[in-house]
Amino acid sequence: MTRFLLVPGRGVPFGNHWSRQWARRRGFTWAPEPPGTPVMFADRVAALQSVLVSSEEPAVLVAHSAGCLTVAHWAREHAGPVVAALLVTPPLVEDAPRERLPFRSLLVVSRDDPQCSFEDGVAYATAWGGEVIDAGPVGHLDSSSGFGPWPDGEKLLARLAAE
């Protein structure tokens, strides 16, 4: 059986955010529970590692925003049961890890994300060895951009989990 772990971004997502909805509806586990700001990658990587080693079941990571960078930091330091990741609208951070991820990944990139240009999102995907998903003009793909439900994301996750 595969488990699905949500890796949160910088802030605490609103109740209508797609990630909160997936946690409620699908029973996905937070890794870690959204802690809010500031983002302390060492703490978040440790929390993700703690959840990952709590079971030998394969894991698919679903990360939004700074959570994508948490996943990249984790992969730089650890190995484990991660088989794939859905990485959604990472912010541009100059010192972000740029090593190839050791698992399949889909990187969702927005055409008008205020936190990362489309070109920089593509550069992340290239560095991490992931497939670029052009989401079009969807902002940061969060509640303030109008995402509540995100059915296209659910389709991407199903595709990733089936591969």
Side-chain angles (χ1 to χ4, degrees):
M1 180 154 191
T2 300
R3 57 194 166 135
F4 294 85
L5 304 177
L6 295 163
V7 185
R10 179 179 53 88
V12 177
F14 295 124
N16 66 337
H17 190 279
W18 58 267
S19 62
R20 286 275 187 208
Q21 291 185 27
W22 292 7
R24 281 191 307 270
R25 261 194 0 256
R26 296 171 159 260
F28 291 176
T29 301
W30 287 101
E33 182 69 29
T37 57
V39 176
M40 306 295 287
F41 285 115
D43 294 344
R44 290 187 181 209
V45 166
L48 176 56
Q49 177 66 2
S50 177
V51 172
L52 283 168
V53 299
S54 70
S55 170
E56 293 181 10
E57 283 183 306
V60 174
L61 304 178
V62 179
H64 179 246
S65 191
C68 301
L69 304 180
T70 299
V71 169
H73 280 282
W74 176 86
R76 176 189 271 178
E77 301 171 20
H78 300 283
V82 175
V83 294
L86 179 62
L87 305 170
V88 182
T89 60
L92 180 61
V93 175
E94 291 306 317
D95 62 348
R98 303 290 176 148
E99 293 85 6
R100 185 175 192 83
L101 300 176
F103 41 79
R104 292 185 327 276
S105 64
L106 300 178
L107 198 122
V108 179
V109 183
S110 171
R111 289 280 176 174
D112 62 352
D113 188 341
Q115 297 188 34
C116 184
S117 72
F118 183 80
E119 294 74 21
D120 287 327
V122 169
Y124 273 139
T126 300
W128 293 340
E131 178 185 341
V132 174
I133 304 298
D134 181 348
V138 295
H140 196 54
L141 230 154
D142 55 8
S143 299
S144 63
S145 303
F147 294 87
W150 183 35
D152 289 342
E154 293 185 85
K155 291 175 189 169
L156 289 172
L157 186 60
R159 181 183 129 202
L160 188 62
E163 289 177 354

